[in-house]
Amino acid sequence: MMSVMALARTTTVDALADALRERIMGGELAPGQRLIERDLVERYEVARGTVRSALQRLEHEGLVTLETHRGAFVRQLDKQALRELFELRTALELESAYRALASNGGKLPPPVHEAVERLAAACERKRPSWQRISVAHADLHESIVEAGGSPRIEAAYRQLTQELTLFLLALRPVWTPAEMAEHHRKLVRELESEGPPALRRHLEEGEAAVIAGLPDQQESARSLRR
């Protein structure tokens, strides 16, 4: 008897959530920017209930904030949220780095080296796309986690993906693509020469760079909400 396989169904809510997610991750919708239901209904020609369901889904993913009597806004990480995100991220990535280096004789496996070169290539394009850089950046850090060989750690790390995208969007005004490429090539070199402390330093530098720029971003968000 032939087995029955369920196919994933794409609903209007799925399609709208995907479209808004892509605009957020691509930087078209900035942190703090208001998402007006009426405008979304008209732009995408969908029902108001569809818009609300899509926004609720994005809120669950950590990309959107829903405020009573004010509406929806692209989520902006504040200092406390950023610190909490990095506490968990650092714990997961450091443990993965320890495991990866221990199981590969103090070296990182080829997929990590391939991932850092893909990131560098994205950064070194004539007209670099921050969305492409964001994807390549996520792939590199995920490759380090995957090299650790722990499915449970990998699953926990995947839950941070959207919030880490918001972090990278906040980093865009701080680091140029060239600086991004060099920063991560240096990370891979130093991970193999110094071990996991190099990764901790790398993450701390990224966190500090974004926190230093948050006041201006918060002022921008306030002006968007007026």
Side-chain angles (χ1 to χ4, degrees):
M1 180 181 296
M2 184 180 295
S3 62
V4 176
M5 298 182 66
L7 296 176
R9 296 182 179 180
T10 300
T11 66
T12 306
V13 172
D14 294 332
L16 179 57
D18 289 345
L20 293 175
R21 187 186 301 107
E22 183 175 350
R23 292 176 66 194
I24 293 171
M25 294 175 69
E28 181 183 347
L29 295 173
Q33 184 168 340
R34 188 178 180 190
L35 303 173
I36 302 173
E37 284 188 9
R38 180 181 65 256
D39 293 348
L40 296 176
V41 166
E42 294 175 357
R43 176 176 180 134
Y44 293 100
E45 298 182 338
V46 295
R48 189 174 291 269
T50 298
V51 170
R52 289 175 179 172
S53 295
L55 291 175
Q56 288 170 355
R57 180 169 303 179
L58 295 177
E59 180 189 35
H60 179 72
E61 294 178 7
L63 290 178
V64 166
T65 298
L66 299 180
E67 299 183 8
T68 305
H69 305 309
R70 291 186 58 83
F73 299 86
V74 178
R75 185 181 173 198
Q76 180 162 356
L77 292 174
D78 58 27
K79 292 182 180 180
Q80 183 59 33
L82 185 65
R83 290 191 180 101
E84 291 173 356
L85 171 63
F86 265 70
E87 285 176 359
L88 180 53
R89 178 189 184 185
T90 299
L92 296 174
E93 289 198 33
L94 280 178
E95 178 60 23
S96 298
Y98 276 112
R99 294 169 60 94
L101 293 168
S103 62
N104 288 278
K107 300 294 182 182
L108 294 169
V112 177
H113 290 273
E114 293 164 4
V116 78
E117 289 309 314
R118 287 195 299 270
L119 173 58
C123 292
E124 293 165 358
R125 292 172 66 92
K126 187 174 181 180
R127 295 182 179 175
S129 159
W130 199 260
Q131 183 172 5
R132 188 188 297 269
I133 291 171
S134 175
V135 171
H137 174 270
D139 287 346
L140 170 58
H141 283 274
E142 287 174 13
S143 74
I144 294 172
V145 173
E146 290 169 1
S150 169
R152 293 292 295 271
I153 292 178
E154 290 177 38
Y157 192 81
R158 280 194 294 270
Q159 294 180 7
L160 304 179
T161 300
Q162 304 297 349
E163 287 187 284
L164 290 176
T165 298
L166 288 179
F167 155 75
L168 198 63
L169 290 176
L171 193 60
R172 178 166 49 182
V174 180
W175 283 352
T176 66
E179 289 170 331
M180 177 74 72
E182 176 52 31
H183 197 63
H184 286 81
R185 277 178 165 153
K186 178 182 177 184
L187 165 64
V188 172
R189 290 195 305 268
E190 293 183 348
L191 259 174
E192 293 187 329
S193 62
E194 300 178 24
L199 177 57
R200 180 183 291 278
R201 184 169 61 249
H202 170 91
L203 296 175
E204 288 174 347
E205 289 172 356
E207 179 185 6
V210 171
I211 285 179
L214 279 180
D216 290 340
Q217 293 170 3
Q218 290 170 339
E219 179 59 35
S220 175
R222 283 195 291 272
S223 66
L224 285 169
R225 295 186 185 198
R226 290 180 186 134

mmCIF file of all heavy atoms in Angstrom, residues 58-100:
data_model
loop_
_atom_site.group_PDB
_atom_site.id
_atom_site.type_symbol
_atom_site.label_atom_id
_atom_site.label_comp_id
_atom_site.label_asym_id
_atom_site.label_seq_id
_atom_site.Cartn_x
_atom_site.Cartn_y
_atom_site.Cartn_z
ATOM 1 N N LEU A 58 4.729 36.979 13.671
ATOM 2 C CA LEU A 58 6.029 37.636 13.712
ATOM 3 C C LEU A 58 6.384 38.081 15.132
ATOM 4 O O LEU A 58 7.562 38.119 15.495
ATOM 5 C CB LEU A 58 6.048 38.827 12.758
ATOM 6 C CG LEU A 58 5.902 38.476 11.268
ATOM 7 C CD1 LEU A 58 5.861 39.732 10.423
ATOM 8 C CD2 LEU A 58 7.026 37.559 10.815
ATOM 9 N N GLU A 59 5.366 38.398 15.926
ATOM 10 C CA GLU A 59 5.624 38.714 17.337
ATOM 11 C C GLU A 59 6.168 37.479 18.047
ATOM 12 O O GLU A 59 7.120 37.560 18.834
ATOM 13 C CB GLU A 59 4.354 39.193 18.018
ATOM 14 C CG GLU A 59 4.573 39.545 19.498
ATOM 15 C CD GLU A 59 3.278 39.818 20.252
ATOM 16 O OE1 GLU A 59 2.273 39.153 19.943
ATOM 17 O OE2 GLU A 59 3.285 40.671 21.151
ATOM 18 N N HIS A 60 5.574 36.319 17.766
ATOM 19 C CA HIS A 60 6.030 35.061 18.374
ATOM 20 C C HIS A 60 7.477 34.763 17.977
ATOM 21 O O HIS A 60 8.245 34.208 18.768
ATOM 22 C CB HIS A 60 5.120 33.916 17.936
ATOM 23 C CG HIS A 60 5.517 32.582 18.488
ATOM 24 N ND1 HIS A 60 5.354 32.245 19.818
ATOM 25 C CD2 HIS A 60 6.091 31.504 17.890
ATOM 26 C CE1 HIS A 60 5.809 31.026 20.023
ATOM 27 N NE2 HIS A 60 6.264 30.551 18.878
ATOM 28 N N GLU A 61 7.872 35.153 16.759
ATOM 29 C CA GLU A 61 9.240 34.921 16.288
ATOM 30 C C GLU A 61 10.229 35.941 16.848
ATOM 31 O O GLU A 61 11.431 35.799 16.670
ATOM 32 C CB GLU A 61 9.273 34.983 14.758
ATOM 33 C CG GLU A 61 8.507 33.856 14.087
ATOM 34 C CD GLU A 61 8.509 33.977 12.575
ATOM 35 O OE1 GLU A 61 9.225 34.875 12.046
ATOM 36 O OE2 GLU A 61 7.818 33.189 11.918
ATOM 37 N N GLY A 62 9.702 36.995 17.480
ATOM 38 C CA GLY A 62 10.583 38.008 18.048
ATOM 39 C C GLY A 62 10.927 39.140 17.110
ATOM 40 O O GLY A 62 11.804 39.958 17.411
ATOM 41 N N LEU A 63 10.230 39.235 15.966
ATOM 42 C CA LEU A 63 10.534 40.275 14.992
ATOM 43 C C LEU A 63 9.647 41.506 15.128
ATOM 44 O O LEU A 63 9.997 42.576 14.644
ATOM 45 C CB LEU A 63 10.390 39.724 13.570
ATOM 46 C CG LEU A 63 11.437 38.711 13.124
ATOM 47 C CD1 LEU A 63 11.121 38.219 11.722
ATOM 48 C CD2 LEU A 63 12.827 39.311 13.171
ATOM 49 N N VAL A 64 8.498 41.340 15.757
ATOM 50 C CA VAL A 64 7.518 42.425 15.854
ATOM 51 C C VAL A 64 7.074 42.571 17.299
ATOM 52 O O VAL A 64 7.003 41.586 18.043
ATOM 53 C CB VAL A 64 6.301 42.136 14.944
ATOM 54 C CG1 VAL A 64 5.116 43.038 15.268
ATOM 55 C CG2 VAL A 64 6.694 42.291 13.475
ATOM 56 N N THR A 65 6.787 43.801 17.708
ATOM 57 C CA THR A 65 6.227 44.093 19.026
ATOM 58 C C THR A 65 4.811 44.617 18.842
ATOM 59 O O THR A 65 4.585 45.524 18.032
ATOM 60 C CB THR A 65 7.064 45.156 19.760
ATOM 61 O OG1 THR A 65 8.392 44.648 19.953
ATOM 62 C CG2 THR A 65 6.460 45.488 21.115
ATOM 63 N N LEU A 66 3.850 44.029 19.557
ATOM 64 C CA LEU A 66 2.466 44.494 19.513
ATOM 65 C C LEU A 66 2.170 45.243 20.802
ATOM 66 O O LEU A 66 2.327 44.700 21.890
ATOM 67 C CB LEU A 66 1.504 43.310 19.352
ATOM 68 C CG LEU A 66 1.675 42.472 18.077
ATOM 69 C CD1 LEU A 66 0.651 41.334 18.051
ATOM 70 C CD2 LEU A 66 1.538 43.331 16.827
ATOM 71 N N GLU A 67 1.749 46.512 20.674
ATOM 72 C CA GLU A 67 1.482 47.350 21.832
ATOM 73 C C GLU A 67 -0.002 47.713 21.886
ATOM 74 O O GLU A 67 -0.567 48.159 20.880
ATOM 75 C CB GLU A 67 2.325 48.633 21.770
ATOM 76 C CG GLU A 67 3.818 48.385 21.782
ATOM 77 C CD GLU A 67 4.618 49.680 21.795
ATOM 78 O OE1 GLU A 67 3.999 50.762 21.949
ATOM 79 O OE2 GLU A 67 5.846 49.615 21.656
ATOM 80 N N THR A 68 -0.618 47.527 23.044
ATOM 81 C CA THR A 68 -2.030 47.851 23.228
ATOM 82 C C THR A 68 -2.270 49.324 22.940
ATOM 83 O O THR A 68 -1.551 50.199 23.432
ATOM 84 C CB THR A 68 -2.476 47.525 24.667
ATOM 85 O OG1 THR A 68 -2.171 46.147 24.936
ATOM 86 C CG2 THR A 68 -3.973 47.769 24.838
ATOM 87 N N HIS A 69 -3.283 49.579 22.115
ATOM 88 C CA HIS A 69 -3.697 50.940 21.744
ATOM 89 C C HIS A 69 -2.684 51.672 20.867
ATOM 90 O O HIS A 69 -2.909 52.830 20.519
ATOM 91 C CB HIS A 69 -4.000 51.803 22.983
ATOM 92 C CG HIS A 69 -5.011 51.201 23.915
ATOM 93 N ND1 HIS A 69 -6.243 50.747 23.492
ATOM 94 C CD2 HIS A 69 -4.951 50.947 25.250
ATOM 95 C CE1 HIS A 69 -6.916 50.262 24.522
ATOM 96 N NE2 HIS A 69 -6.145 50.353 25.598
ATOM 97 N N ARG A 70 -1.573 51.038 20.516
ATOM 98 C CA ARG A 70 -0.574 51.705 19.669
ATOM 99 C C ARG A 70 -0.321 50.939 18.380
ATOM 100 O O ARG A 70 0.061 51.531 17.373
ATOM 101 C CB ARG A 70 0.744 51.894 20.430
ATOM 102 C CG ARG A 70 0.663 52.909 21.558
ATOM 103 C CD ARG A 70 2.042 53.156 22.161
ATOM 104 N NE ARG A 70 2.989 53.623 21.168
ATOM 105 C CZ ARG A 70 3.090 54.902 20.788
ATOM 106 N NH1 ARG A 70 2.273 55.805 21.287
ATOM 107 N NH2 ARG A 70 3.991 55.261 19.889
ATOM 108 N N GLY A 71 -0.515 49.644 18.390
ATOM 109 C CA GLY A 71 -0.330 48.867 17.176
ATOM 110 C C GLY A 71 0.953 48.066 17.166
ATOM 111 O O GLY A 71 1.510 47.731 18.214
ATOM 112 N N ALA A 72 1.423 47.781 15.955
ATOM 113 C CA ALA A 72 2.581 46.910 15.769
ATOM 114 C C ALA A 72 3.793 47.715 15.311
ATOM 115 O O ALA A 72 3.664 48.665 14.534
ATOM 116 C CB ALA A 72 2.263 45.832 14.741
ATOM 117 N N PHE A 73 4.964 47.294 15.797
ATOM 118 C CA PHE A 73 6.224 47.941 15.425
ATOM 119 C C PHE A 73 7.261 46.854 15.166
ATOM 120 O O PHE A 73 7.246 45.798 15.812
ATOM 121 C CB PHE A 73 6.733 48.850 16.547
ATOM 122 C CG PHE A 73 5.797 49.974 16.898
ATOM 123 C CD1 PHE A 73 4.771 49.777 17.800
ATOM 124 C CD2 PHE A 73 5.947 51.223 16.311
ATOM 125 C CE1 PHE A 73 3.892 50.807 18.124
ATOM 126 C CE2 PHE A 73 5.076 52.265 16.629
ATOM 127 C CZ PHE A 73 4.052 52.064 17.536
ATOM 128 N N VAL A 74 8.159 47.116 14.233
ATOM 129 C CA VAL A 74 9.310 46.232 14.067
ATOM 130 C C VAL A 74 10.096 46.270 15.369
ATOM 131 O O VAL A 74 10.395 47.344 15.891
ATOM 132 C CB VAL A 74 10.196 46.694 12.893
ATOM 133 C CG1 VAL A 74 11.421 45.781 12.770
ATOM 134 C CG2 VAL A 74 9.402 46.695 11.603
ATOM 135 N N ARG A 75 10.384 45.114 15.885
ATOM 136 C CA ARG A 75 11.038 45.060 17.185
ATOM 137 C C ARG A 75 12.431 45.664 17.136
ATOM 138 O O ARG A 75 13.176 45.476 16.176
ATOM 139 C CB ARG A 75 11.140 43.614 17.671
ATOM 140 C CG ARG A 75 11.712 43.520 19.086
ATOM 141 C CD ARG A 75 11.821 42.105 19.552
ATOM 142 N NE ARG A 75 12.516 42.029 20.827
ATOM 143 C CZ ARG A 75 13.053 40.931 21.317
ATOM 144 N NH1 ARG A 75 12.974 39.806 20.646
ATOM 145 N NH2 ARG A 75 13.670 40.935 22.482
ATOM 146 N N GLN A 76 12.755 46.393 18.169
ATOM 147 C CA GLN A 76 14.095 46.958 18.328
ATOM 148 C C GLN A 76 14.677 46.452 19.640
ATOM 149 O O GLN A 76 14.064 46.587 20.698
ATOM 150 C CB GLN A 76 14.046 48.488 18.344
ATOM 151 C CG GLN A 76 15.425 49.101 18.500
ATOM 152 C CD GLN A 76 15.433 50.560 18.073
ATOM 153 O OE1 GLN A 76 14.428 51.062 17.596
ATOM 154 N NE2 GLN A 76 16.545 51.219 18.236
ATOM 155 N N LEU A 77 15.832 45.840 19.551
ATOM 156 C CA LEU A 77 16.472 45.321 20.753
ATOM 157 C C LEU A 77 16.945 46.468 21.635
ATOM 158 O O LEU A 77 17.636 47.373 21.162
ATOM 159 C CB LEU A 77 17.670 44.441 20.379
ATOM 160 C CG LEU A 77 17.364 43.118 19.672
ATOM 161 C CD1 LEU A 77 18.661 42.459 19.248
ATOM 162 C CD2 LEU A 77 16.567 42.192 20.567
ATOM 163 N N ASP A 78 16.559 46.440 22.910
ATOM 164 C CA ASP A 78 17.133 47.402 23.843
ATOM 165 C C ASP A 78 18.341 46.756 24.510
ATOM 166 O O ASP A 78 18.673 45.600 24.263
ATOM 167 C CB ASP A 78 16.100 47.876 24.871
ATOM 168 C CG ASP A 78 15.503 46.715 25.671
ATOM 169 O OD1 ASP A 78 16.187 45.675 25.825
ATOM 170 O OD2 ASP A 78 14.370 46.845 26.137
ATOM 171 N N LYS A 79 19.012 47.517 25.347
ATOM 172 C CA LYS A 79 20.257 47.022 25.927
ATOM 173 C C LYS A 79 20.050 45.757 26.753
ATOM 174 O O LYS A 79 20.836 44.809 26.673
ATOM 175 C CB LYS A 79 20.910 48.119 26.771
ATOM 176 C CG LYS A 79 21.412 49.293 25.955
ATOM 177 C CD LYS A 79 22.087 50.340 26.822
ATOM 178 C CE LYS A 79 22.574 51.515 25.979
ATOM 179 N NZ LYS A 79 23.241 52.557 26.792
ATOM 180 N N GLN A 80 18.988 45.723 27.546
ATOM 181 C CA GLN A 80 18.756 44.557 28.390
ATOM 182 C C GLN A 80 18.437 43.328 27.550
ATOM 183 O O GLN A 80 18.958 42.239 27.794
ATOM 184 C CB GLN A 80 17.610 44.836 29.380
ATOM 185 C CG GLN A 80 17.342 43.702 30.358
ATOM 186 C CD GLN A 80 18.557 43.365 31.220
ATOM 187 O OE1 GLN A 80 19.355 44.234 31.563
ATOM 188 N NE2 GLN A 80 18.700 42.097 31.563
ATOM 189 N N ALA A 81 17.579 43.506 26.529
ATOM 190 C CA ALA A 81 17.236 42.380 25.660
ATOM 191 C C ALA A 81 18.465 41.873 24.926
ATOM 192 O O ALA A 81 18.648 40.656 24.750
ATOM 193 C CB ALA A 81 16.152 42.802 24.673
ATOM 194 N N LEU A 82 19.328 42.800 24.494
ATOM 195 C CA LEU A 82 20.542 42.402 23.785
ATOM 196 C C LEU A 82 21.471 41.611 24.696
ATOM 197 O O LEU A 82 22.023 40.586 24.292
ATOM 198 C CB LEU A 82 21.256 43.644 23.254
ATOM 199 C CG LEU A 82 22.484 43.374 22.381
ATOM 200 C CD1 LEU A 82 22.082 42.665 21.095
ATOM 201 C CD2 LEU A 82 23.206 44.675 22.054
ATOM 202 N N ARG A 83 21.627 42.072 25.938
ATOM 203 C CA ARG A 83 22.499 41.354 26.877
ATOM 204 C C ARG A 83 21.962 39.944 27.150
ATOM 205 O O ARG A 83 22.724 38.979 27.211
ATOM 206 C CB ARG A 83 22.630 42.144 28.179
ATOM 207 C CG ARG A 83 23.443 43.434 28.031
ATOM 208 C CD ARG A 83 23.775 44.054 29.378
ATOM 209 N NE ARG A 83 24.561 45.287 29.215
ATOM 210 C CZ ARG A 83 24.060 46.508 29.292
ATOM 211 N NH1 ARG A 83 22.777 46.683 29.569
ATOM 212 N NH2 ARG A 83 24.827 47.569 29.121
ATOM 213 N N GLU A 84 20.653 39.832 27.327
ATOM 214 C CA GLU A 84 20.062 38.520 27.590
ATOM 215 C C GLU A 84 20.233 37.590 26.394
ATOM 216 O O GLU A 84 20.513 36.395 26.544
ATOM 217 C CB GLU A 84 18.583 38.685 27.940
ATOM 218 C CG GLU A 84 18.360 39.369 29.285
ATOM 219 C CD GLU A 84 16.901 39.681 29.549
ATOM 220 O OE1 GLU A 84 16.066 39.431 28.638
ATOM 221 O OE2 GLU A 84 16.579 40.177 30.643
ATOM 222 N N LEU A 85 20.052 38.133 25.186
ATOM 223 C CA LEU A 85 20.245 37.347 23.974
ATOM 224 C C LEU A 85 21.680 36.847 23.885
ATOM 225 O O LEU A 85 21.925 35.671 23.580
ATOM 226 C CB LEU A 85 19.914 38.205 22.746
ATOM 227 C CG LEU A 85 20.263 37.608 21.376
ATOM 228 C CD1 LEU A 85 19.459 36.342 21.126
ATOM 229 C CD2 LEU A 85 19.998 38.641 20.272
ATOM 230 N N PHE A 86 22.640 37.720 24.193
ATOM 231 C CA PHE A 86 24.033 37.328 24.076
ATOM 232 C C PHE A 86 24.480 36.385 25.179
ATOM 233 O O PHE A 86 25.405 35.590 24.979
ATOM 234 C CB PHE A 86 24.932 38.574 24.006
ATOM 235 C CG PHE A 86 25.235 38.965 22.596
ATOM 236 C CD1 PHE A 86 24.241 39.481 21.786
ATOM 237 C CD2 PHE A 86 26.495 38.774 22.056
ATOM 238 C CE1 PHE A 86 24.496 39.811 20.468
ATOM 239 C CE2 PHE A 86 26.761 39.097 20.741
ATOM 240 C CZ PHE A 86 25.765 39.622 19.944
ATOM 241 N N GLU A 87 23.852 36.448 26.331
ATOM 242 C CA GLU A 87 24.174 35.468 27.378
ATOM 243 C C GLU A 87 23.887 34.057 26.885
ATOM 244 O O GLU A 87 24.703 33.137 27.049
ATOM 245 C CB GLU A 87 23.361 35.769 28.634
ATOM 246 C CG GLU A 87 23.861 36.964 29.436
ATOM 247 C CD GLU A 87 22.955 37.286 30.613
ATOM 248 O OE1 GLU A 87 21.934 36.588 30.791
ATOM 249 O OE2 GLU A 87 23.254 38.245 31.352
ATOM 250 N N LEU A 88 22.708 33.881 26.279
ATOM 251 C CA LEU A 88 22.337 32.551 25.777
ATOM 252 C C LEU A 88 23.157 32.188 24.545
ATOM 253 O O LEU A 88 23.659 31.067 24.427
ATOM 254 C CB LEU A 88 20.840 32.523 25.457
ATOM 255 C CG LEU A 88 20.287 31.199 24.923
ATOM 256 C CD1 LEU A 88 20.640 30.043 25.851
ATOM 257 C CD2 LEU A 88 18.786 31.306 24.728
ATOM 258 N N ARG A 89 23.308 33.141 23.633
ATOM 259 C CA ARG A 89 24.081 32.866 22.427
ATOM 260 C C ARG A 89 25.507 32.461 22.766
ATOM 261 O O ARG A 89 26.039 31.493 22.199
ATOM 262 C CB ARG A 89 24.096 34.118 21.540
ATOM 263 C CG ARG A 89 24.912 33.935 20.281
ATOM 264 C CD ARG A 89 25.095 35.233 19.532
ATOM 265 N NE ARG A 89 25.810 34.986 18.280
ATOM 266 C CZ ARG A 89 26.212 35.930 17.447
ATOM 267 N NH1 ARG A 89 25.976 37.206 17.739
ATOM 268 N NH2 ARG A 89 26.866 35.622 16.347
ATOM 269 N N THR A 90 26.135 33.185 23.684
ATOM 270 C CA THR A 90 27.519 32.891 24.057
ATOM 271 C C THR A 90 27.641 31.501 24.666
ATOM 272 O O THR A 90 28.569 30.744 24.341
ATOM 273 C CB THR A 90 28.048 33.957 25.037
ATOM 274 O OG1 THR A 90 28.009 35.237 24.400
ATOM 275 C CG2 THR A 90 29.472 33.656 25.460
ATOM 276 N N ALA A 91 26.703 31.154 25.537
ATOM 277 C CA ALA A 91 26.752 29.829 26.171
ATOM 278 C C ALA A 91 26.674 28.719 25.119
ATOM 279 O O ALA A 91 27.445 27.744 25.168
ATOM 280 C CB ALA A 91 25.605 29.695 27.172
ATOM 281 N N LEU A 92 25.769 28.859 24.165
ATOM 282 C CA LEU A 92 25.581 27.817 23.152
ATOM 283 C C LEU A 92 26.767 27.748 22.190
ATOM 284 O O LEU A 92 27.256 26.659 21.857
ATOM 285 C CB LEU A 92 24.291 28.071 22.377
ATOM 286 C CG LEU A 92 22.988 27.997 23.183
ATOM 287 C CD1 LEU A 92 21.801 28.410 22.318
ATOM 288 C CD2 LEU A 92 22.781 26.600 23.749
ATOM 289 N N GLU A 93 27.257 28.913 21.742
ATOM 290 C CA GLU A 93 28.353 28.902 20.774
ATOM 291 C C GLU A 93 29.669 28.464 21.412
ATOM 292 O O GLU A 93 30.465 27.744 20.788
ATOM 293 C CB GLU A 93 28.510 30.278 20.130
ATOM 294 C CG GLU A 93 27.380 30.619 19.163
ATOM 295 C CD GLU A 93 27.743 31.744 18.209
ATOM 296 O OE1 GLU A 93 28.925 31.855 17.824
ATOM 297 O OE2 GLU A 93 26.832 32.517 17.850
ATOM 298 N N LEU A 94 29.914 28.888 22.652
ATOM 299 C CA LEU A 94 31.167 28.490 23.296
ATOM 300 C C LEU A 94 31.230 26.984 23.523
ATOM 301 O O LEU A 94 32.262 26.347 23.274
ATOM 302 C CB LEU A 94 31.334 29.228 24.623
ATOM 303 C CG LEU A 94 31.850 30.661 24.556
ATOM 304 C CD1 LEU A 94 31.913 31.269 25.954
ATOM 305 C CD2 LEU A 94 33.229 30.723 23.900
ATOM 306 N N GLU A 95 30.142 26.411 24.003
ATOM 307 C CA GLU A 95 30.123 24.961 24.214
ATOM 308 C C GLU A 95 30.326 24.232 22.887
ATOM 309 O O GLU A 95 31.061 23.236 22.814
ATOM 310 C CB GLU A 95 28.810 24.533 24.862
ATOM 311 C CG GLU A 95 28.666 23.031 25.072
ATOM 312 C CD GLU A 95 29.741 22.427 25.964
ATOM 313 O OE1 GLU A 95 30.347 23.182 26.774
ATOM 314 O OE2 GLU A 95 29.990 21.219 25.865
ATOM 315 N N SER A 96 29.706 24.745 21.834
ATOM 316 C CA SER A 96 29.868 24.124 20.515
ATOM 317 C C SER A 96 31.306 24.231 20.034
ATOM 318 O O SER A 96 31.852 23.278 19.450
ATOM 319 C CB SER A 96 28.931 24.793 19.504
ATOM 320 O OG SER A 96 27.575 24.611 19.867
ATOM 321 N N ALA A 97 31.936 25.378 20.268
ATOM 322 C CA ALA A 97 33.326 25.560 19.841
ATOM 323 C C ALA A 97 34.255 24.604 20.583
ATOM 324 O O ALA A 97 35.160 24.002 19.979
ATOM 325 C CB ALA A 97 33.759 27.011 20.060
ATOM 326 N N TYR A 98 34.054 24.458 21.892
ATOM 327 C CA TYR A 98 34.853 23.499 22.666
ATOM 328 C C TYR A 98 34.725 22.098 22.068
ATOM 329 O O TYR A 98 35.728 21.397 21.857
ATOM 330 C CB TYR A 98 34.388 23.473 24.128
ATOM 331 C CG TYR A 98 34.986 24.537 25.008
ATOM 332 C CD1 TYR A 98 34.191 25.561 25.519
ATOM 333 C CD2 TYR A 98 36.337 24.529 25.357
ATOM 334 C CE1 TYR A 98 34.724 26.558 26.338
ATOM 335 C CE2 TYR A 98 36.881 25.514 26.176
ATOM 336 C CZ TYR A 98 36.068 26.523 26.662
ATOM 337 O OH TYR A 98 36.600 27.503 27.463
ATOM 338 N N ARG A 99 33.505 21.687 21.795
ATOM 339 C CA ARG A 99 33.248 20.340 21.267
ATOM 340 C C ARG A 99 33.864 20.189 19.878
ATOM 341 O O ARG A 99 34.446 19.144 19.553
ATOM 342 C CB ARG A 99 31.750 20.073 21.239
ATOM 343 C CG ARG A 99 31.096 19.999 22.627
ATOM 344 C CD ARG A 99 29.565 20.011 22.516
ATOM 345 N NE ARG A 99 29.087 18.886 21.745
ATOM 346 C CZ ARG A 99 28.694 17.727 22.266
ATOM 347 N NH1 ARG A 99 28.741 17.557 23.583
ATOM 348 N NH2 ARG A 99 28.262 16.745 21.497
ATOM 349 N N ALA A 100 33.702 21.210 19.035
ATOM 350 C CA ALA A 100 34.204 21.129 17.663
ATOM 351 C C ALA A 100 35.726 21.010 17.632
ATOM 352 O O ALA A 100 36.286 20.172 16.917
ATOM 353 C CB ALA A 100 33.753 22.356 16.874
#
